[in-house]
Amino acid sequence: DTGVSQDPRHKITKRGQNVTFRCDPISEHNRLYWYRQTLGQGPEFLTYFQNEAQLEKSRLLSNRFSAERPKGSFSTLEIQRTEQGDSAMYLCASTQRTLGEQYFGPGTRLTVT
Amino acid sequence: AQKITQTQPGMFVQEKEAVTLDCTYDTSDPSYGLFWYKQPSSGEMIFLIYQGSYDQQNATEGRYSLNFQKARKSANLVISASQLGDSAMYFCAMRGIKPQGAQKLVFGQGTRLTINP
């Protein structure tokens, strides 16, 4: 069990550029979550996958955001035409059991200049 | 809708003292789970303790215990014998217990705990 990993850990990009983040969950976990955390706030839910199916999306996930989990293993979160308001920590979490605790990765900190 | 309120933006405690971090919640779900996570400056959210709404006893995990008062809708975290390494942000979170759905976590705003030597 190597834990949830995320790549990159930090990303600085100019406004208007596209960025993509990757999350590798704990290997046997079929449930995967993306959260966003802005400075001084708790994480907020973005989207949820069960295996490869994206089953729930938050209203926070505008049409510039897209997430995939093509083979039910790793997941990617893409932000198109980034805006300064997208600057945040993007956290990925996974769990095996529906009612189990979620295990978080170290996050990707995005800064849009 | 579910809501978590953490009213203490910051707490300062002397090393080896016990500390209580407050958390109140609001939900219309008949069953739910309550969580505490620790977030050090590195950013990773570390799971500490879980309490189910129908659990008869308060949860404990080592130096962590959860003071669950269902009627008052509070789920305070108690850390005994605090250590310098306990300095971090602490988040209270909840989710409903439903057979379907994302079971997403709803977090409070957090409390920054500083342990002084």
Side-chain angles (χ1 to χ4, degrees), chain B residues 86-98:
Chain B
D86 293 333
S87 294
M89 283 291 289
Y90 288 80
F91 290 95
C92 180
M94 76 178 300
R95 58 151 169 72
I97 298 178
K98 300 175 183 177

Side-chain angles (χ1 to χ4, degrees), chain A residues 4 9 33 35 37 40-45 48 50 56 89 91 98-107 109, chain B residues 35 37 39 41-47 50 91 95-99 101-110:
Chain A
V4 179
R9 294 291 306 276
Y33 301 79
Y35 293 84
Q37 185 179 23
Q41 303 294 318
E44 294 177 291
F45 170 77
Y48 161 67
Q50 184 169 329
E56 188 166 335
M89 175 79 89
L91 294 162
T98 303
L99 302 182
E101 62 270 18
Q102 295 176 17
Y103 293 90
F104 283 79
R109 185 173 296 281
Chain B
F35 300 78
Y37 282 83
Q39 188 177 41
S41 56
S42 59
E44 185 172 354
M45 300 285 283
I46 302 169
F47 166 72
Y50 167 79
F91 290 95
R95 58 151 169 72
I97 298 178
K98 300 175 183 177
Q103 315 299 333
K104 56 184 176 285
L105 292 172
V106 174
F107 287 85
Q109 290 189 305

